[in-house]
Amino acid sequence: MEINSWHETGHVPVTILQLKGDLTSEDELVQKAQAAFQDGARNIVLDLSHVPYISSAGLRAIHMVYMLLRSADPVDEEQAARGIARDTYKSPHLKLVKPTKNGLKALSTAGYDIFLDIFDTNPQAVASFK
Amino acid sequence: MEINSWHETGHVPVTILQLKGDLTSEDELVQKAQAAFQDGARNIVLDLSHVPYISSAGLRAIHMVYMLLRSADPVDEEQAARGIARDTYKSPHLKLVKPTKNGLKALSTAGYDIFLDIFDTNPQAVASFK
Amino acid sequence: MKSLTLRYSGATVRDLNDIREFLESAILNLGGDENIAGDLVLAANEAVTNSLLHGYGDQPGAVSLCVETEGEDLLVRLLDSAPPFDPTTVPPPDINRPLEERPLGGLGVHMMRQLTDELVYRATDDNRNELTFIKRGVLSPVQ
Amino acid sequence: MKSLTLRYSGATVRDLNDIREFLESAILNLGGDENIAGDLVLAANEAVTNSLLHGYGDQPGAVSLCVETEGEDLLVRLLDSAPPFDPTTVPPPDINRPLEERPLGGLGVHMMRQLTDELVYRATDDNRNELTFIKRGVLSPVQ
Ligand SMILES: Nc1ncnc2c1ncn2[C@@H]1O[C@H](COP(=O)(O)OP(=O)(O)O)[C@@H](O)[C@H]1O
Ligand SMILES: Nc1ncnc2c1ncn2[C@@H]1O[C@H](COP(=O)(O)OP(=O)(O)O)[C@@H](O)[C@H]1O
């Protein structure tokens, strides 16, 4: 797994993590996200367009990145509680871009596609952060 | 196995049989050669440049084509007897072009490379017939 | 019937890449399409990972993967010699609960179930674990 | 140790193409180079052909091909359930005689011998023919 990262600014600053290769272990992605978080990143796009397979370990990594970003936003927590009740909650801090067919399969077997917005392109994902 | 055939004329008329695919059964090549022979072909070039593998069945087919051409030339028979004794005999009627690495391996395990001239190109093979 | 088998005497998680590639090409070779291959690779990848990490405790262990056809069905069999474990007894996670309320992990067996038509466990006569992933009616009858 | 196996319950000569492709890719996958692959594919192709034509009399028959590593050696094993036959007993042809004096055919076993370092026959406990093609010292020690 290779991970490239860079910053873009829409309404707010956004960090893009572009993954290349199978996402089948949690370490690399979690470490990269933690490093970005320590550098101040609060909004992350995971570009999954070059990830042939995502395993349950990969899903766990995405889960951890989600929790990490959420931990820094008390407002999100409260909104989540209300939003989830109405089935409309999507994470405001973590967005996904263009998972492959098999990647999407993994995400949806786990129900992650319900709580995470998925976009076709990085610019669309960046623009969606408020 | 796909076999294309066409005619060229050097010092004498020559029929080129260009083989494509593994030469691992005798039927196709033998049939094609017999048809050419019935149409009057007496000199044949086997272009082996597109033949990944030659099996013992393929060697048997080459052997049969050799015998077929030889059967029509009584002079060859007599020359062969003398030539073979001196270790210099090569078939005057059947020439091979550019066998692949694995093709050449098969030909040489069987000792066919001793009795059949091998050329790099079709024009060279055509020009070699007297 | 035709089958393709990959066997390791001492596999580790570093072999998982290779295993996924083998499965993908074997499934396509036996007449499965890319969709079927994707599902079975994802499912089997989870099982092998569990066998290596939970079964063998992250030590090199014997595993073999066999892709085979049975009429119009496509099967992947995983055999290992780790302590007996039947993953079909693992209760399903609640995937409708929000992420913050869910435990990390516990999705592997769920993925195996979701991505196959049937998941069959048995202990073999020589005491190995055999886990079979079945996709039904996915091959053309001519096969 | 790692191995790759292709198994048929009823193979015919129409499967030979597929068998050669399997052997080639399995040998490369296990660390053999193209030269070694070429030799072993040619040799094993002869053996499978004989097994199907002479052993099973051109009727569909069970064959399995296993490519495996043993230290620095690369092995291909052919197993069939045809009547017992030990090809290593076939006398070598005289390949120095001119073509017109040679019988047609009779080169298959010769090719098997020439293209491998060792050719080993044994009847298995369950009465199958097992023919093993060995290339010695062709893998890097790290393998
Ligand atoms: N082969 C195995 N041997 C022993 N225990 C296993 C095996 N496979 C799974 N388990 C147990 O079942 C649990 C659930 O597995 P799984 O759904 O794959 O989730 P995860 O591996 O992420 O915990 C594991 O945590 C483990 O305790
Ligand atoms: N599997 C087999 N079962 C029975 N007889 C065999 C088998 N393989 C080879 N033979 C016998 O050995 C002979 C020599 O085989 P081979 O060297 O491959 O040449 P060819 O097949 O061209 O005759 C065959 O003609 C056949 O009589």
Side-chain angles (χ1 to χ4, degrees), chain A residues 22 24 53-56 59-60 63-64 66-67 70 84 101-102 105-106 108-112 114-115, chain C residues 17 20 24 35 38-39 41-42 45-46 95-100 102-105 107-108 110-111 114:
Chain A
D22 290 342
T24 49
Y53 286 108
I54 301 176
S55 73
S56 67
L59 294 174
R60 204 158 52 227
H63 193 170
M64 289 169 84
Y66 169 88
M67 297 301 281
R70 202 167 181 301
I84 288 159
K101 209 173 195 176
N102 290 322
K105 228 170 241 173
S108 67
T109 59
Y112 282 22
I114 303 175
F115 304 108
Chain C
N17 239 314
R20 287 194 298 276
E24 191 168 282
N35 243 318
D39 289 0
V41 170
L42 274 170
N45 179 70
E46 294 302 323
I95 64 155
N96 294 312
R97 277 167 63 198
L99 293 178
E100 34 276 307
R102 291 206 219 166
L104 280 168
L107 290 169
H110 173 70
M111 283 175 72
Q114 291 298 302

Side-chain angles (χ1 to χ4, degrees), chain D residues 43-99:
Chain D
N45 179 69
E46 294 302 323
V48 180
T49 304
N50 281 352
S51 159
L52 296 176
L53 296 182
H54 300 303
Y56 288 118
D58 214 2
Q59 296 301 307
V63 295
S64 103
L65 285 142
C66 178
V67 183
E68 62 189 70
T69 59
E70 208 174 270
E72 296 174 32
D73 301 344
L74 197 55
L75 283 68
V76 174
R77 268 181 227 286
L78 166 64
L79 280 150
D80 71 42
S81 307
F85 181 81
D86 178 358
T88 64
T89 61
V90 172
D94 181 355
I95 64 155
N96 294 313
R97 275 167 64 199
L99 294 178

